[in-house]
Amino acid sequence: NLAVGDGIYEPDTLITHIYFPVNCIIARLYELDTGASVQTSVTGNEGMIGISYLLGSESTSARTVALKGGGALRIKAPLLKKEFECGETLQRLLLRFAQALIIQTEQIAIGTQHHTIEQRLSHFLLMILDRMSGNELHITHEQVGIFLGVRRESVTTAAQKLETTGAIECRRGHMSVTDRRQVEKPAGENYDLIRKEYEPVLSYGPV
């Protein structure tokens, strides 16, 4: 069981277990020398945490934390790697997930450099919404700022813009998507590309 903010991996630590989220969402964060953090990917029950171990790396390069609380299953890393190396269905599915994860990371990196906070917040909310059953996220503006690598005030300003369009509603410690289409508009082509890449491994809501 994981609560929001609980860590799974820390930078430069050995991977002993691999995790499969059930109803939690896990974010991968890189911490900069300035102390800021930047989210590079999110994973829900469409995938796993620790894919790098199966691809040859026994340690982590980033911090991995729960973005949405919930349960996860874990398995000893060497045991899963042994099964992975047998090939067949397990290997094919996990490699397909790894490819989708690479695309997600690339598009988030592009957004960090070229998109507004409003666009990045919209993208962030959609990535979470696709991985949960409801439309309400228990998270503060400060926590969102940590994941996006921006100041809390910037998140608040972007959220207020989305609220004026009826896209979201904000309460203390909560953000709810009330009109998905209005959230998708500013998210742009980066989200569309990721969505198409994840279609074989993730069931998306209506568009």
Side-chain angles (χ1 to χ4, degrees):
N1 291 317
L2 298 166
V4 175
D6 281 355
I8 293 179
Y9 302 139
E10 294 294 332
D12 302 318
T13 57
L14 291 177
I15 298 174
T16 58
H17 291 82
I18 289 173
Y19 295 77
F20 290 84
V22 177
N23 56 358
C24 62
I25 299 175
I26 309 299
R28 184 176 169 87
L29 299 173
Y30 275 90
E31 296 183 345
L32 308 179
D33 291 338
T34 60
S37 297
V38 179
Q39 167 209 311
T40 61
S41 66
V42 295
T43 301
N45 62 11
E46 84 284 356
M48 58 172 288
I49 309 301
I51 189 72
S52 60
Y53 184 91
L54 302 182
L55 302 179
S57 177
E58 295 188 352
S59 62
T60 64
S61 57
R63 186 166 178 248
T64 311
V65 301
L67 192 158
K68 174 184 176 295
L73 303 174
R74 75 175 189 176
I75 185 172
K76 291 181 179 179
L79 178 59
L80 185 63
K81 188 170 185 178
K82 180 179 179 180
E83 294 298 323
F84 176 79
E85 290 175 344
C86 292
E88 301 185 8
T89 303
L90 177 65
Q91 185 183 85
R92 184 171 67 254
L93 289 173
L94 293 181
L95 288 177
R96 185 67 189 83
F97 164 71
Q99 167 65 16
L101 189 65
I102 290 170
I103 299 299
Q104 182 192 159
T105 302
E106 291 175 344
Q107 295 305 310
I108 289 177
I110 292 171
T112 300
Q113 292 294 318
H114 301 289
H115 290 173
T116 66
I117 304 300
E118 183 183 355
Q119 288 174 305
R120 292 173 60 196
L121 176 59
S122 298
H123 186 278
F124 175 81
L125 291 173
L126 288 170
M127 294 291 287
I128 297 171
L129 194 64
D130 289 338
R131 290 162 174 80
M132 57 187 285
S133 57
N135 65 347
E136 183 175 357
L137 178 64
H138 297 268
I139 195 169
T140 65
H141 289 187
E142 183 173 358
Q143 288 170 324
V144 174
I146 291 172
F147 287 114
L148 296 184
V150 300
R151 297 169 61 240
R152 176 184 59 80
E153 293 80 3
S154 298
V155 174
T156 299
T157 299
Q160 288 172 345
K161 290 180 180 179
L162 289 175
E163 278 193 289
T164 61
T165 68
I168 67 172
E169 288 182 357
C170 295
R171 294 182 290 115
R172 187 174 181 85
H174 297 75
M175 299 182 76
S176 301
V177 174
T178 52
D179 189 336
R180 183 185 175 107
R181 291 181 183 276
Q182 292 297 327
V183 180
E184 288 179 344
K185 286 180 180 179
E189 61 183 11
N190 290 65
Y191 172 70
D192 290 337
L193 195 154
I194 294 173
R195 177 182 176 180
K196 291 176 182 177
E197 193 66 33
Y198 270 84
E199 281 179 349
V201 292
L202 180 65
S203 296
Y204 281 84
V207 297

